[in-house]
Amino acid sequence: MDRFNDSEMIFIEKRFLPGDKLPNENDLSEELHISRTTLREAIRILVTNGILEIRRGKGTYIKEDIDEDNMESYDSLTSAKMNARDLYEMRLIFEPEAAYYATIRASDAEIKRILDYGKQIEEKIKQNEDRTGVERNFHKSIVKATHNEFMEKLMPVLYQAIDKGVILSTKKEMAVQDTINDHKMIMEFMESRNPEGAKSAMKIHILHAMKDLGIE
């Protein structure tokens, strides 16, 4: 069972109401017949999508103020069972345009934030540390700089593709080097306020990732 389906089981089952606390990890993983690792990933997805919230020292709860529109969107995404090809094709359609508009609309502070995240990614790679969170922040900061709320709502979907790319690239030296070079190229075009260059650089970046994943 894949992680989208595991999340869907928690989300769709009507025994949990807004404000309810989820059972402890051991009990819930046994009930759903999934590993604790898979359960944690499913919960992470639901937290990202605003369905669950983790209250420090208390446990995991169904959010009391779940956005109905977000729930409908999440339901359609989980039932779609998107694979890597679908996710990366969506990135290829969406992210180059996001880079274009972000380069035009971003404030100087937003450009600086993007550049800072890009530098953090390179440092994480050099230190052989997990860069998943910083990689997400890099791409999210670009999307936020478009100042387009609809684009921002697509980020939870794109996270799945970004995560796959990070996991794969750690196993391939060429993929890691592509990431460093591609990010530098994106950042240089954005810093110089060249939207067409940023758009092309982002497209190249995603095409490199698709080649590394074998989903060209």
Side-chain angles (χ1 to χ4, degrees):
M1 183 174 295
D2 65 34
R3 62 187 179 181
F4 280 109
N5 287 337
D6 298 327
S7 327
E8 193 172 26
M9 287 175 69
I10 299 171
F11 175 58
I12 291 177
E13 191 176 351
K14 301 304 180 184
R15 57 171 284 200
F16 298 120
L17 299 174
D20 284 354
K21 179 181 179 180
L22 293 187
N24 67 51
E25 191 176 87
N26 287 335
D27 291 344
L28 190 56
S29 62
E30 287 181 13
E31 181 179 337
L32 297 176
H33 304 292
I34 58 177
S35 71
R36 290 167 64 185
T37 301
T38 302
L39 175 62
R40 290 188 197 112
E41 177 64 6
I43 288 173
R44 183 189 66 75
I45 292 171
L46 290 169
V47 169
T48 299
N49 282 273
I51 309 300
L52 299 179
E53 64 177 340
I54 298 173
R55 300 177 188 173
R56 186 171 298 178
K58 294 183 178 180
T60 304
Y61 291 76
I62 307 294
K63 288 193 72 170
E64 296 183 7
D65 56 346
I66 298 174
D67 185 339
E68 292 295 326
D69 292 336
N70 193 34
M71 290 175 67
E72 291 176 7
S73 174
Y74 180 77
D75 185 36
S76 65
L77 291 174
T78 54
S79 60
K81 302 181 183 66
M82 291 181 291
N83 59 28
R85 182 185 297 276
D86 295 331
L87 289 165
Y88 268 84
E89 285 180 354
M90 184 172 179
R91 286 191 73 184
L92 193 58
I93 293 168
F94 167 71
E95 287 197 81
E97 295 297 333
Y100 177 92
Y101 286 108
T103 303
I104 295 172
R105 297 173 181 170
S107 67
D108 290 343
E110 286 173 323
I111 291 291
K112 183 180 183 302
R113 187 177 301 116
I114 292 165
L115 300 181
D116 286 344
Y117 281 132
K119 292 171 185 174
Q120 288 178 40
I121 291 170
E122 188 169 353
E123 283 302 312
K124 291 284 187 184
I125 290 173
K126 288 178 180 178
Q127 299 297 325
N128 198 28
E129 296 176 351
D130 177 39
R131 68 176 195 274
T132 306
V134 182
E135 186 91 33
R136 283 181 170 203
N137 287 337
F138 176 74
H139 288 277
K140 181 180 180 179
S141 63
I142 292 174
V143 173
K144 284 183 71 67
T146 66
H147 298 278
N148 183 309
E149 291 185 15
F150 179 76
M151 285 188 176
E152 290 187 45
K153 289 183 182 295
L154 292 175
M155 283 310 300
V157 184
L158 299 181
Y159 284 155
Q160 310 307 319
I162 291 168
D163 290 356
K164 286 177 185 289
V166 171
I167 292 168
L168 177 85
S169 66
T170 58
K171 301 175 183 177
K172 295 185 178 181
E173 182 61 34
M174 181 58 71
V176 171
Q177 194 57 51
D178 281 345
T179 296
I180 293 173
N181 293 339
D182 292 349
H183 282 181
K184 282 183 177 178
M185 185 165 53
I186 293 167
M187 292 188 294
E188 286 172 4
F189 281 122
M190 293 194 75
E191 187 173 24
S192 63
R193 298 287 184 170
N194 183 330
E196 288 292 349
K199 177 179 177 179
S200 297
M202 182 64 79
K203 182 175 181 179
I204 289 168
H205 175 46
I206 296 168
L207 287 172
H208 274 153
M210 292 177 75
K211 181 179 181 180
D212 292 334
L213 277 169
I215 53 173
E216 298 173 278

